[in-house]
Amino acid sequence: MRVLAAMSGGVDSAVAAARAVEAGHEVVGVHLALSPTPGTLRTGSRGCCSKEDAGDARRAADVLGIPFYVWDFADRFKEDVIDDFVAAYAAGETPNPCLRCNEKIKFSALADRAVALGFDAVVTGHYARLEDGVLRRAVDADKDQSYVLAVLNAEQLKRAMFPVGDTPKPQIREEAAARGLAVANKPDSHDICFIPSGDTQAFLGAKIGIRPGAVIDADGTKLADHKGVHEFTIGQRKGLGLPGPAADGQPRYVTGIDADSGTVHVGSAKDLEVWTVLADRAIWTSGVTPTEPVECVAQVRAHGGTAPAVAEAVGDGLVVRLREPLTGVARGQAVVLYRPDEAGDEVLGSGTISGTERELHAYATEAVADATR
């Protein structure tokens, strides 16, 4: 096939491109210029789309002997990822920008241009597996990125290739070194790629400004003032601006955020437990919306936060009833559904979390009864 390899300048995408070449595909490398300040220098493992990253990607392409281009997607990235990120936090949500980047940039804007230019697929260094159109977790559980790829629909998955998902990360570095790729020991990127300082609160504060409100406990007592709901997320324990723990000595957590009133609700760890997750923008990776409830395992954060569940398609959204409670479930994140078989690695679908319910429901009651028999 004729494939376009998205080369970030890191080791994973370089090896992915190398494997595509070795498999006999006609490969062209492309680096996406996403940063609004492309001259910015990289700081260790923070940042992306820097001059160093573009240079590293070009050198890797030279070693592989493939054509290489830089495509400017900075305006699209700002609109679809950065602006969406800021707006979500201003609304009291906790977005995952990697999800939006995959959905809107790498497998939409980039893939659309690739197809228009006659390419058959887009190759990336994501840690996930594709088998006959089925998206699965990566072999390396610590690096698995199936969660942030679960926003891709069936058509987008048909045009995707993830060559490194079947290999643990240490072996990818060894392979890069054996191939003579200078990025073999380059640090992995961490934090949010467009906030190289790592200070998310400062970044959001500069964009949103001061919007004061109150921190209140479960009985409505005001505990403190704050400068904006963008400084908080569900499940947060530190940085609440409170003088100490609750009267019973237990720590307090953020349990709710009301952006309209500027109110941040805090409570106990028990108050964080959620039994039902509501989501919109449902995507079923098979391309077929189920007409009956689906047994699944639900994951609500990129790493961790899973529980057996029953999911139902409701209009364009989802209702996910958990058989065990989850905590730290925040609006704006994704709920990703996996098949509940022994492997537990097949992605069924996803939705963007729009709300939660804490009441114990019938599905959970049945599960508890079964467990105590």
Side-chain angles (χ1 to χ4, degrees):
M1 294 193 299
R2 188 165 185 253
V3 301
L4 189 70
M7 303 181 70
S8 66
V11 62
D12 302 321
S13 60
V15 172
R19 288 186 171 187
V21 171
E22 191 173 69
H25 300 300
E26 180 186 346
V27 183
V28 174
V30 63
H31 178 77
L32 301 186
L34 304 178
S35 174
T37 54
T40 302
L41 298 178
R42 184 182 180 88
T43 304
S45 61
R46 287 179 170 156
C48 74
C49 314
S50 67
K51 291 195 300 183
E52 292 96 330
D53 292 320
D56 288 342
R58 182 178 296 279
R59 283 185 286 274
D62 288 343
V63 170
L64 299 177
I66 62 175
F68 177 83
Y69 301 92
V70 175
W71 288 356
D72 186 353
F73 277 76
D75 289 342
R76 181 73 181 266
F77 185 76
K78 178 182 180 301
E79 178 181 349
D80 288 339
V81 180
I82 299 178
D83 291 351
D84 176 83
F85 177 83
V86 174
Y89 262 104
E93 300 177 355
T94 304
N96 186 317
C98 293
L99 285 161
R100 293 295 160 254
C101 184
N102 288 330
E103 178 187 13
K104 300 290 188 179
I105 305 298
K106 293 175 183 174
F107 298 96
S108 181
L110 174 62
D112 288 347
R113 182 180 292 186
V115 170
L117 292 173
F119 291 94
D120 300 301
V122 170
V123 175
T124 73
H126 284 99
Y127 280 83
R129 292 176 293 153
L130 268 174
E131 298 176 359
D132 297 324
V134 176
L135 179 64
R136 298 184 183 277
R137 291 189 187 275
V139 167
D140 190 332
D142 292 335
K143 293 296 182 180
D144 175 52
Q145 293 175 295
S146 60
Y147 175 90
V148 295
L149 293 168
V151 291
L152 304 185
N153 59 39
E155 289 303 311
Q156 290 171 322
L157 289 173
K158 287 179 182 177
R159 303 187 310 208
M161 294 174 63
F162 308 128
V164 303
D166 63 354
T167 307
K169 180 62 175 269
Q171 292 183 28
I172 293 296
R173 291 196 179 279
E174 291 174 4
E175 182 176 330
R179 292 179 180 275
L181 297 170
V183 292
N185 295 313
K186 185 175 180 178
D188 291 341
S189 295
H190 296 293
D191 301 317
I192 298 168
C193 70
F194 53 85
I195 308 179
S197 69
D199 192 339
T200 302
Q201 284 195 1
F203 174 85
L204 291 169
K207 299 285 186 181
I208 298 171
I210 296 175
R211 294 167 46 182
V215 179
I216 66 171
D217 65 13
D219 64 9
T221 301
K222 180 179 176 181
L223 303 175
D225 295 308
H226 65 76
K227 296 181 180 180
V229 297
H230 62 271
E231 297 184 342
F232 302 90
T233 188
I234 300 297
Q236 181 178 334
R237 177 181 174 182
K238 297 181 179 180
L240 305 184
L242 303 180
D248 60 3
Q250 296 300 308
R252 295 184 176 100
Y253 301 84
V254 175
T255 59
I257 300 172
D258 184 343
D260 291 337
S261 65
T263 304
V264 175
H265 300 267
V266 297
S268 68
K270 186 70 175 177
D271 294 332
L272 286 172
E273 292 186 353
V274 164
W275 287 95
T276 301
V277 178
L278 310 176
D280 53 24
R281 302 176 67 244
I283 294 170
W284 298 94
T285 53
S286 67
V288 179
T289 301
T291 57
E292 300 291 336
V294 176
E295 289 282 351
C296 61
V297 173
Q299 180 169 330
V300 295
R301 293 188 297 279
H303 297 284
T306 64
V310 176
E312 294 182 70
V314 179
D316 295 330
L318 292 171
V319 176
V320 183
R321 296 181 174 89
L322 307 173
R323 295 189 183 278
E324 299 171 1
L326 289 174
T327 61
V329 185
R331 291 186 300 115
Q333 288 279 5
V335 55
V336 175
L337 313 178
Y338 292 85
R339 188 175 298 283
D341 56 14
E342 185 176 351
D345 61 2
E346 179 183 341
V347 177
L348 300 176
S350 70
T352 302
I353 298 172
S354 58
T356 61
E357 295 176 2
R358 294 174 181 161
E359 294 80 7
L360 185 70
H361 53 72
Y363 287 112
T365 303
E366 293 169 6
V368 171
D370 289 342
T372 56
R373 288 194 182 106

